[in-house]
Amino acid sequence: MRGGTTAPERSAAPDRRPPLVVVMGVSGSGKTTVGERVAERLGVPYADADSFHPPANIRKMSAGTPLDDEDRRPWLDAIASWLAEQAPHGGVVSCSALRRSYRDRLRAGGAPLFFLHLDGSEELIARRMAARTGHFMPRTLLRSQFETLEPLEADEHGAAVSVEGAPEEVAERALEALAR
């Protein structure tokens, strides 16, 4: 861990690797904002899963059509590959990962992942989406995201963190959850 770690603590856990974190949640929950802050604090690379979408997926979502599992398969595989490449030095990726099967596909890369679920009410997230500009995901798809969302199960390594408050507060809660 960074900051405040003594030499004896480091030598006691020489095989401890920086974490691979998937910041997950519905569109508008703050995945990019929180993910960037968490990666910066951990001193690891960050990637936004939106950048892994093929152009056809972006066109489909921009037109207000939800993606289906066939659309998501190559996208999830590309993210899983990026995570596997980051395994030696850690990394953070923001990715909706709404269904257990999607998270399983991300885990298929073999590296242990920590899922950080940014959790909030549909009303709060809809207000935030209404205030943002320049994103291809229309607010009209938010309902379908909540309908698709499968919260983390007890056997999944991760934690849910409330999106209430300023991004810095949410990122701090996320780091605290990661440390537990």
Side-chain angles (χ1 to χ4, degrees), residues 12-125:
D15 61 341
R16 183 161 167 86
R17 294 181 185 169
L20 287 174
V21 180
V22 178
V23 181
M24 62 169 280
V26 298
S27 185
S29 61
K31 295 182 299 294
T32 300
T33 303
V34 172
E36 288 172 340
R37 283 174 169 80
V38 168
E40 182 179 330
R41 290 276 301 276
L42 294 174
V44 298
Y46 170 78
D48 187 324
D50 287 345
S51 67
F52 293 86
H53 275 299
N57 283 8
I58 293 173
R59 282 193 301 275
K60 194 170 183 179
M61 289 183 287
S62 295
T65 305
L67 299 179
D68 59 29
D69 287 350
E70 192 61 35
D71 297 322
R72 287 185 185 92
R73 196 167 289 120
W75 173 67
L76 291 167
D77 290 345
I79 298 164
S81 292
W82 184 86
L83 286 163
E85 290 170 11
Q86 304 313 308
H89 46 83
V92 175
V93 65
S94 57
C95 174
S96 54
L98 298 177
R99 290 192 175 172
R100 169 73 187 245
S101 63
Y102 305 161
R103 297 187 296 271
D104 288 344
R105 195 158 188 105
L106 293 174
R107 278 190 284 270
L113 305 178
F114 185 90
F115 289 90
L116 191 60
H117 176 193
L118 299 185
D119 190 25
S121 71
E122 187 171 350
E123 295 76 25
L124 171 63
I125 293 172

